[in-house]
Coordinates of all heavy atoms in Angstrom, one line a residue:
M352 N 0.9 -1.2 0.0 CA 0.0 0.0 0.0 C 0.9 1.2 0.0 O 1.7 1.4 0.9 CB -0.9 0.0 1.2 CG -1.9 1.0 1.3 SD -3.0 0.6 2.7 CE -4.2 1.8 2.4
P353 N 0.7 2.1 -1.0 CA 1.6 3.3 -1.0 C 1.3 4.3 0.1 O 0.1 4.4 0.5 CB 1.2 4.0 -2.4 CG -0.1 3.4 -2.8 CD -0.2 2.1 -2.1
Q354 N 2.3 4.9 0.6 CA 2.1 5.9 1.7 C 1.7 7.2 1.1 O 2.1 7.6 0.0 CB 3.4 6.1 2.4 CG 3.8 4.9 3.2 CD 5.1 5.2 4.0 OE1 5.8 6.1 3.8 NE2 5.3 4.3 5.0
R355 N 0.8 7.9 1.8 CA 0.3 9.2 1.4 C 1.4 10.3 1.8 O 2.0 10.2 2.8 CB -1.0 9.5 2.1 CG -2.1 8.7 1.6 CD -3.4 9.2 2.2 NE -4.5 8.5 1.7 CZ -5.7 8.7 2.0 NH1 -6.0 9.6 3.0 NH2 -6.7 8.0 1.5
K356 N 1.4 11.2 0.9 CA 2.3 12.4 1.2 C 1.7 13.2 2.3 O 0.5 13.5 2.2 CB 2.5 13.2 -0.1 CG 3.4 14.4 0.0 CD 3.4 15.1 -1.3 CE 3.9 16.5 -1.1 NZ 3.8 17.2 -2.4
P357 N 2.4 13.6 3.3 CA 1.8 14.4 4.4 C 1.3 15.8 3.8 O 1.9 16.4 3.0 CB 2.9 14.6 5.4 CG 4.1 14.1 4.8 CD 3.8 13.4 3.5
I358 N 0.2 16.2 4.3 CA -0.4 17.4 3.9 C 0.2 18.6 4.7 O 0.3 18.6 5.9 CB -1.9 17.4 4.1 CG1 -2.6 16.3 3.3 CG2 -2.5 18.8 3.7 CD1 -4.0 16.2 3.6
S359 N 0.7 19.6 4.0 CA 1.3 20.7 4.6 C 0.3 21.6 5.3 O -0.9 21.6 5.0 CB 2.1 21.5 3.6 OG 1.3 22.2 2.7
E360 N 0.8 22.4 6.2 CA -0.1 23.4 6.9 C -0.7 24.4 5.9 O -1.8 24.8 6.0 CB 0.7 24.1 8.0 CG -0.2 25.0 8.8 CD -1.3 24.3 9.5 OE1 -1.1 23.2 9.9 OE2 -2.4 24.9 9.6
R361 N 0.1 24.8 4.9 CA -0.4 25.7 3.8 C -1.6 25.1 3.1 O -2.6 25.7 2.8 CB 0.7 26.0 2.8 CG 0.3 26.9 1.7 CD 1.6 27.1 0.8 NE 1.2 27.8 -0.4 CZ 0.9 27.2 -1.5 NH1 1.0 25.9 -1.6 NH2 0.6 27.9 -2.6
D362 N -1.5 23.8 2.7 CA -2.6 23.1 2.0 C -3.8 23.0 2.9 O -5.0 23.1 2.5 CB -2.2 21.7 1.5 CG -1.2 21.8 0.4 OD1 -1.2 22.9 -0.3 OD2 -0.5 20.8 0.1
R363 N -3.6 22.7 4.2 CA -4.7 22.6 5.1 C -5.5 24.0 5.2 O -6.7 24.0 5.3 CB -4.3 22.2 6.5 CG -3.8 20.8 6.7 CD -3.4 20.5 8.1 NE -2.6 19.4 8.2 CZ -3.1 18.2 8.4 NH1 -4.4 18.0 8.5 NH2 -2.3 17.1 8.5
R364 N -4.7 25.0 5.2 CA -5.3 26.4 5.3 C -6.1 26.7 4.1 O -7.2 27.2 4.1 CB -4.2 27.4 5.5 CG -4.7 28.9 5.6 CD -3.5 29.8 5.9 NE -2.3 29.6 5.1 CZ -2.1 30.1 3.8 NH1 -3.1 30.8 3.3 NH2 -1.0 29.9 3.2
L365 N -5.6 26.3 2.9 CA -6.3 26.5 1.6 C -7.6 25.7 1.6 O -8.6 26.2 1.1 CB -5.4 26.2 0.4 CG -4.2 27.1 0.3 CD1 -3.3 26.6 -0.9 CD2 -4.6 28.5 0.1
V366 N -7.5 24.5 2.1 CA -8.7 23.6 2.1 C -9.8 24.2 3.0 O -11.0 24.3 2.7 CB -8.4 22.2 2.5 CG1 -9.6 21.4 2.8 CG2 -7.6 21.5 1.4
R367 N -9.3 24.7 4.2 CA -10.3 25.4 5.1 C -10.9 26.6 4.5 O -12.1 26.8 4.6 CB -9.5 25.8 6.4 CG -9.6 24.8 7.5 CD -9.2 25.4 8.8 NE -7.9 26.1 8.8 CZ -6.7 25.6 9.0 NH1 -6.6 24.4 9.3 NH2 -5.6 26.4 8.9
Q368 N -10.2 27.4 3.8 CA -10.7 28.6 3.1 C -11.7 28.2 2.0 O -12.8 28.9 1.9 CB -9.6 29.4 2.6 CG -8.8 30.1 3.7 CD -7.6 30.9 3.1 OE1 -7.1 30.6 2.1 NE2 -7.2 31.8 3.9
I369 N -11.4 27.2 1.2 CA -12.4 26.8 0.2 C -13.6 26.2 0.8 O -14.7 26.5 0.4 CB -11.7 25.8 -0.7 CG1 -10.7 26.5 -1.7 CG2 -12.7 25.0 -1.5 CD1 -11.4 27.5 -2.6
R370 N -13.5 25.5 1.9 CA -14.6 24.9 2.6 C -15.5 26.0 3.1 O -16.8 26.0 3.0 CB -14.2 24.0 3.7 CG -15.3 23.2 4.4 CD -14.9 22.2 5.4 NE -14.1 21.2 4.7 CZ -12.9 20.7 5.2 NH1 -12.4 21.2 6.3 NH2 -12.3 19.8 4.5
I371 N -14.9 27.0 3.7 CA -15.7 28.2 4.2 C -16.4 28.9 3.1 O -17.6 29.2 3.2 CB -14.8 29.1 5.1 CG1 -14.4 28.4 6.4 CG2 -15.5 30.4 5.3 CD1 -13.3 29.2 7.1
A372 N -15.7 29.1 2.0 CA -16.3 29.8 0.8 C -17.5 29.0 0.3 O -18.5 29.5 0.0 CB -15.3 30.0 -0.3
A373 N -17.4 27.6 0.3 CA -18.5 26.8 -0.2 C -19.7 26.9 0.7 O -20.8 26.9 0.3 CB -18.0 25.3 -0.4
I374 N -19.4 26.9 2.0 CA -20.5 27.0 3.0 C -21.2 28.3 2.9 O -22.4 28.4 2.9 CB -20.0 26.7 4.4 CG1 -19.6 25.3 4.6 CG2 -21.0 27.1 5.5 CD1 -18.8 25.0 5.8
V375 N -20.4 29.4 2.7 CA -21.0 30.7 2.5 C -21.9 30.8 1.3 O -23.0 31.3 1.3 CB -19.9 31.8 2.5 CG1 -20.4 33.1 2.0 CG2 -19.3 32.0 3.9
M376 N -21.4 30.2 0.2 CA -22.2 30.2 -1.1 C -23.5 29.4 -0.9 O -24.6 29.9 -1.3 CB -21.4 29.5 -2.2 CG -20.3 30.4 -2.8 SD -19.5 29.7 -4.2 CE -18.0 29.1 -3.5
A377 N -23.4 28.2 -0.3 CA -24.7 27.4 -0.1 C -25.6 28.1 0.9 O -26.8 28.2 0.6 CB -24.3 26.0 0.4
A378 N -25.1 28.6 2.0 CA -26.0 29.2 3.0 C -26.6 30.5 2.4 O -27.8 30.8 2.7 CB -25.2 29.5 4.2
T379 N -25.8 31.3 1.6 CA -26.3 32.5 1.0 C -27.5 32.2 0.1 O -28.5 32.9 0.2 CB -25.2 33.2 0.3 OG1 -24.2 33.6 1.2 CG2 -25.7 34.4 -0.5
M380 N -27.4 31.2 -0.7 CA -28.4 30.9 -1.7 C -29.7 30.5 -0.9 O -30.8 30.9 -1.3 CB -28.0 29.9 -2.7 CG -26.9 30.4 -3.6 SD -27.2 32.1 -4.3 CE -28.7 31.8 -5.2
I381 N -29.5 29.6 0.1 CA -30.7 29.1 0.9 C -31.4 30.3 1.6 O -32.6 30.4 1.5 CB -30.2 28.0 1.8 CG1 -29.9 26.8 1.0 CG2 -31.3 27.7 2.8 CD1 -29.2 25.7 1.9
L382 N -30.6 31.1 2.3 CA -31.1 32.2 3.0 C -31.8 33.3 2.1 O -32.8 33.8 2.3 CB -30.1 32.9 3.9 CG -29.6 32.1 5.1 CD1 -28.4 32.8 5.7 CD2 -30.7 31.9 6.0
W383 N -31.1 33.5 0.9 CA -31.7 34.5 0.0 C -33.0 34.0 -0.6 O -34.0 34.8 -0.7 CB -30.7 34.7 -1.2 CG -31.2 35.6 -2.3 CD1 -31.3 36.9 -2.2 CD2 -31.6 35.2 -3.5 NE1 -31.8 37.4 -3.4 CE2 -32.0 36.4 -4.2 CE3 -31.8 34.0 -4.2 CZ2 -32.5 36.3 -5.5 CZ3 -32.3 33.9 -5.5 CH2 -32.6 35.1 -6.1
M384 N -33.1 32.7 -1.0 CA -34.4 32.2 -1.5 C -35.4 32.2 -0.4 O -36.6 32.5 -0.7 CB -34.2 30.8 -2.0 CG -33.4 30.7 -3.3 SD -33.4 29.1 -4.1 CE -32.4 28.1 -2.9
G385 N -35.0 31.9 0.8 CA -36.0 31.9 2.0 C -36.5 33.3 2.2 O -37.7 33.6 2.4
A386 N -35.6 34.3 2.1 CA -36.0 35.7 2.4 C -36.9 36.2 1.2 O -37.9 36.9 1.5 CB -34.8 36.6 2.4
Q387 N -36.6 35.8 0.0 CA -37.5 36.2 -1.1 C -38.9 35.6 -1.0 O -39.9 36.2 -1.2 CB -36.9 35.7 -2.5 CG -35.6 36.4 -2.8 CD -35.7 37.9 -2.9 OE1 -36.6 38.4 -3.5 NE2 -34.8 38.6 -2.4
Y388 N -38.9 34.3 -0.6 CA -40.2 33.7 -0.4 C -41.0 34.3 0.8 O -42.2 34.6 0.6 CB -40.0 32.2 -0.1 CG -41.3 31.4 0.2 CD1 -42.2 31.1 -0.8 CD2 -41.6 31.1 1.5 CE1 -43.4 30.4 -0.5 CE2 -42.8 30.5 1.8 CZ -43.7 30.1 0.8 OH -44.9 29.5 1.1
L389 N -40.3 34.5 1.9 CA -41.0 35.1 3.0 C -41.5 36.6 2.7 O -42.6 37.0 3.1 CB -40.1 35.2 4.3 CG -40.0 33.9 5.1 CD1 -39.0 34.1 6.2 CD2 -41.4 33.5 5.7
G390 N -40.6 37.3 2.0 CA -41.0 38.7 1.6 C -42.3 38.7 0.8 O -43.1 39.5 0.9
G391 N -42.4 37.7 -0.1 CA -43.6 37.7 -1.0 C -44.8 37.2 -0.2 O -45.9 37.8 -0.4
Q392 N -44.6 36.3 0.7 CA -45.8 35.8 1.5 C -46.2 36.8 2.5 O -47.5 36.9 2.8 CB -45.4 34.5 2.2 CG -45.1 33.4 1.3 CD -46.3 33.0 0.5 OE1 -47.4 32.9 1.0 NE2 -46.2 32.8 -0.8
L393 N -45.3 37.6 3.1 CA -45.7 38.5 4.2 C -45.9 39.9 3.7 O -46.2 40.8 4.4 CB -44.6 38.5 5.2 CG -44.4 37.2 6.0 CD1 -43.2 37.3 6.9 CD2 -45.6 36.7 6.6
G394 N -45.7 40.1 2.4 CA -45.9 41.5 1.8 C -44.9 42.5 2.2 O -45.3 43.7 2.4
W395 N -43.7 42.2 2.4 CA -42.7 43.1 2.8 C -42.5 44.1 1.7 O -42.6 43.8 0.5 CB -41.3 42.4 3.1 CG -41.3 41.6 4.3 CD1 -42.2 41.6 5.3 CD2 -40.3 40.6 4.7 NE1 -41.9 40.7 6.3 CE2 -40.7 40.1 5.9 CE3 -39.2 40.2 4.1 CZ2 -40.0 39.1 6.5 CZ3 -38.5 39.2 4.7 CH2 -38.9 38.7 5.9
P396 N -42.1 45.4 2.0 CA -41.8 46.4 1.0 C -40.6 45.9 0.1 O -39.8 45.1 0.5 CB -41.4 47.6 1.8 CG -41.8 47.4 3.1 CD -41.9 45.9 3.4
I397 N -40.6 46.4 -1.2 CA -39.6 46.0 -2.1 C -38.2 46.4 -1.7 O -37.2 45.7 -2.1 CB -40.0 46.6 -3.5 CG1 -39.2 45.9 -4.6 CG2 -39.7 48.1 -3.6 CD1 -39.6 44.5 -4.9
R398 N -38.0 47.4 -0.9 CA -36.7 47.8 -0.4 C -36.0 46.7 0.4 O -34.8 46.5 0.4 CB -36.7 49.1 0.4 CG -37.5 49.0 1.7 CD -37.5 50.3 2.4 NE -38.4 50.1 3.6 CZ -38.7 51.1 4.3 NH1 -38.4 52.3 4.0 NH2 -39.5 50.8 5.4
F399 N -36.8 45.8 1.1 CA -36.2 44.7 1.8 C -35.7 43.6 0.8 O -34.7 43.0 1.1 CB -37.2 44.1 2.8 CG -37.5 44.9 4.0 CD1 -38.8 45.3 4.3 CD2 -36.5 45.4 4.7 CE1 -39.1 46.1 5.4 CE2 -36.7 46.2 5.8 CZ -38.1 46.5 6.2
A400 N -36.4 43.5 -0.3 CA -36.0 42.5 -1.3 C -34.6 43.0 -1.9 O -33.7 42.2 -2.0 CB -37.0 42.4 -2.4
F401 N -34.5 44.3 -2.1 CA -33.2 44.8 -2.6 C -32.1 44.7 -1.5 O -31.0 44.4 -1.9 CB -33.3 46.3 -3.0 CG -34.1 46.4 -4.3 CD1 -35.2 47.2 -4.4 CD2 -33.6 45.7 -5.5 CE1 -35.8 47.4 -5.6 CE2 -34.3 45.9 -6.7 CZ -35.4 46.7 -6.8
L402 N -32.5 44.8 -0.3 CA -31.5 44.7 0.8 C -31.0 43.2 0.8 O -29.8 43.0 0.9 CB -32.1 45.1 2.1 CG -31.3 44.9 3.4 CD1 -30.1 45.9 3.3 CD2 -32.1 45.2 4.6
F403 N -31.9 42.3 0.7 CA -31.5 40.9 0.7 C -30.7 40.6 -0.5 O -29.7 39.8 -0.5 CB -32.7 39.9 0.8 CG -33.3 39.9 2.2 CD1 -34.6 40.3 2.3 CD2 -32.6 39.6 3.3 CE1 -35.2 40.3 3.6 CE2 -33.2 39.6 4.5 CZ -34.5 39.9 4.7
D404 N -31.0 41.2 -1.7 CA -30.3 41.0 -2.9 C -28.8 41.5 -2.8 O -27.9 40.8 -3.2 CB -30.9 41.7 -4.1 CG -32.2 41.0 -4.5 OD1 -32.5 39.9 -4.1 OD2 -33.0 41.7 -5.2
L405 N -28.7 42.7 -2.2 CA -27.4 43.2 -2.0 C -26.5 42.4 -1.0 O -25.3 42.2 -1.2 CB -27.5 44.7 -1.5 CG -27.9 45.7 -2.6 CD1 -28.1 47.1 -1.9 CD2 -26.9 45.8 -3.7
A406 N -27.1 41.9 0.1 CA -26.4 41.1 1.0 C -26.0 39.8 0.4 O -24.8 39.4 0.6 CB -27.3 40.8 2.2
A407 N -26.8 39.2 -0.4 CA -26.4 38.0 -1.1 C -25.3 38.2 -2.1 O -24.4 37.4 -2.2 CB -27.7 37.4 -1.8
F408 N -25.4 39.3 -2.8 CA -24.4 39.7 -3.8 C -23.1 39.9 -3.1 O -22.0 39.4 -3.6 CB -24.8 40.9 -4.6 CG -23.9 41.4 -5.6 CD1 -23.7 40.6 -6.8 CD2 -23.1 42.5 -5.4 CE1 -22.8 41.0 -7.8 CE2 -22.2 42.9 -6.4 CZ -22.0 42.1 -7.6
A409 N -23.1 40.6 -2.0 CA -21.8 40.8 -1.3 C -21.2 39.5 -0.8 O -20.0 39.3 -0.9 CB -22.1 41.7 -0.1
A410 N -22.0 38.6 -0.3 CA -21.5 37.3 0.2 C -20.9 36.5 -0.9 O -19.9 35.8 -0.8 CB -22.6 36.5 0.9
L411 N -21.6 36.5 -2.1 CA -21.1 35.7 -3.2 C -19.9 36.3 -3.8 O -19.0 35.6 -4.3 CB -22.2 35.6 -4.3 CG -23.4 34.7 -3.8 CD1 -24.5 34.8 -4.9 CD2 -23.0 33.3 -3.6
V412 N -19.8 37.6 -3.8 CA -18.5 38.3 -4.3 C -17.4 37.9 -3.4 O -16.3 37.6 -3.8 CB -18.7 39.8 -4.5 CG1 -17.4 40.5 -4.6 CG2 -19.6 40.1 -5.6
W413 N -17.6 37.9 -2.1 CA -16.6 37.6 -1.1 C -16.1 36.1 -1.4 O -14.9 35.8 -1.4 CB -17.1 37.7 0.3 CG -16.1 37.2 1.3 CD1 -15.1 37.9 1.8 CD2 -16.0 35.9 1.9 NE1 -14.3 37.2 2.7 CE2 -14.9 35.9 2.7 CE3 -16.7 34.8 1.7 CZ2 -14.5 34.8 3.5 CZ3 -16.4 33.6 2.4 CH2 -15.2 33.7 3.3
A414 N -17.1 35.2 -1.6 CA -16.7 33.8 -1.8 C -15.9 33.7 -3.1 O -15.0 32.9 -3.2 CB -18.0 32.9 -1.8
L415 N -16.3 34.4 -4.1 CA -15.6 34.4 -5.4 C -14.2 34.9 -5.3 O -13.2 34.3 -5.8 CB -16.3 35.2 -6.5 CG -15.7 35.3 -7.9 CD1 -15.8 33.9 -8.5 CD2 -16.5 36.3 -8.7
V416 N -14.0 36.0 -4.5 CA -12.6 36.5 -4.3 C -11.8 35.5 -3.5 O -10.6 35.3 -3.9 CB -12.7 37.9 -3.5 CG1 -11.3 38.3 -3.0 CG2 -13.3 38.9 -4.4
V417 N -12.3 34.8 -2.5 CA -11.6 33.8 -1.8 C -11.2 32.7 -2.7 O -10.1 32.2 -2.6 CB -12.4 33.3 -0.5 CG1 -11.8 32.1 0.1 CG2 -12.5 34.4 0.5
T418 N -12.2 32.2 -3.5 CA -11.9 31.1 -4.4 C -10.8 31.5 -5.4 O -9.9 30.7 -5.7 CB -13.2 30.7 -5.1 OG1 -14.2 30.4 -4.2 CG2 -13.0 29.5 -6.0
Y419 N -10.9 32.7 -5.9 CA -9.8 33.1 -6.9 C -8.5 33.2 -6.2 O -7.5 32.8 -6.8 CB -10.2 34.5 -7.5 CG -9.2 35.1 -8.4 CD1 -9.0 34.5 -9.6 CD2 -8.4 36.1 -8.0 CE1 -8.0 35.1 -10.5 CE2 -7.4 36.6 -8.8 CZ -7.2 36.1 -10.0 OH -6.2 36.6 -10.9
W420 N -8.4 33.7 -5.0 CA -7.2 33.8 -4.2 C -6.6 32.4 -4.0 O -5.4 32.2 -4.2 CB -7.4 34.5 -2.9 CG -6.1 34.7 -2.2 CD1 -5.2 35.7 -2.3 CD2 -5.6 33.9 -1.1 NE1 -4.2 35.5 -1.4 CE2 -4.4 34.4 -0.7 CE3 -6.1 32.7 -0.6 CZ2 -3.6 33.8 0.3 CZ3 -5.3 32.1 0.4 CH2 -4.1 32.6 0.8
V421 N -7.4 31.5 -3.6 CA -6.9 30.1 -3.4 C -6.4 29.5 -4.7 O -5.4 28.8 -4.7 CB -8.0 29.2 -2.7 CG1 -7.6 27.8 -2.7 CG2 -8.3 29.7 -1.3
W422 N -7.2 29.7 -5.8 CA -6.7 29.2 -7.1 C -5.4 29.8 -7.5 O -4.5 29.0 -7.9 CB -7.8 29.6 -8.1 CG -7.4 29.2 -9.5 CD1 -7.4 28.0 -10.1 CD2 -7.0 30.1 -10.5 NE1 -7.0 28.0 -11.4 CE2 -6.7 29.4 -11.7 CE3 -6.8 31.5 -10.6 CZ2 -6.3 29.9 -12.9 CZ3 -6.4 32.1 -11.8 CH2 -6.2 31.3 -12.9
K423 N -5.2 31.1 -7.3 CA -3.9 31.7 -7.6 C -2.8 31.1 -6.7 O -1.7 30.8 -7.2 CB -3.9 33.2 -7.4 CG -4.5 33.9 -8.7 CD -4.4 35.4 -8.5 CE -2.9 35.8 -8.4 NZ -2.7 37.2 -8.4
E424 N -3.1 30.9 -5.5 CA -2.1 30.4 -4.5 C -1.7 29.0 -4.9 O -0.6 28.6 -4.8 CB -2.7 30.4 -3.1 CG -1.8 30.1 -2.0 CD -0.8 31.3 -1.7 OE1 -1.1 32.4 -2.1 OE2 0.2 31.0 -1.1
R425 N -2.7 28.2 -5.3 CA -2.4 26.8 -5.7 C -1.5 26.7 -7.0 O -0.7 25.9 -7.2 CB -3.7 26.0 -5.9 CG -4.5 25.8 -4.7 CD -4.0 24.7 -3.8 NE -3.9 23.4 -4.6 CZ -3.8 22.3 -4.0 NH1 -3.7 22.2 -2.7 NH2 -3.7 21.2 -4.7
R426 N -1.8 27.6 -7.9 CA -1.1 27.7 -9.2 C 0.4 28.1 -9.0 O 1.3 27.7 -9.7 CB -1.7 28.6 -10.2 CG -3.0 28.0 -10.8 CD -3.4 28.7 -11.9 NE -2.3 28.9 -12.9 CZ -2.4 29.0 -14.2 NH1 -3.6 28.9 -14.7 NH2 -1.4 29.2 -14.9
S427 N 0.6 28.9 -8.0 CA 2.0 29.4 -7.7 C 2.8 28.3 -7.0 O 4.0 28.5 -6.9 CB 2.0 30.7 -6.9 OG 1.6 30.4 -5.6
Q428 N 2.2 27.3 -6.6 CA 2.9 26.2 -5.9 C 3.9 25.5 -6.7 O 3.8 25.2 -7.8 CB 1.8 25.2 -5.3 CG 2.4 24.3 -4.3 CD 1.2 23.4 -3.8 OE1 0.2 23.3 -4.4 NE2 1.4 23.0 -2.6

């Protein structure tokens, strides 16, 4: 049975960051869809819909930036 190469602390950090970005993306979409549904059912003003849209956009942009940073970091390896 071949031995596995030990994982460096740098790789562990990158994996953690990607995992956090993935959780943020999934949670953002679930919360955003839930907020849109609740807003429609409860008759919230349209400004709340835009607020949730902007919050979701900010979270997804953050996740994209983290993913891009990790991709660049892995390529420089």
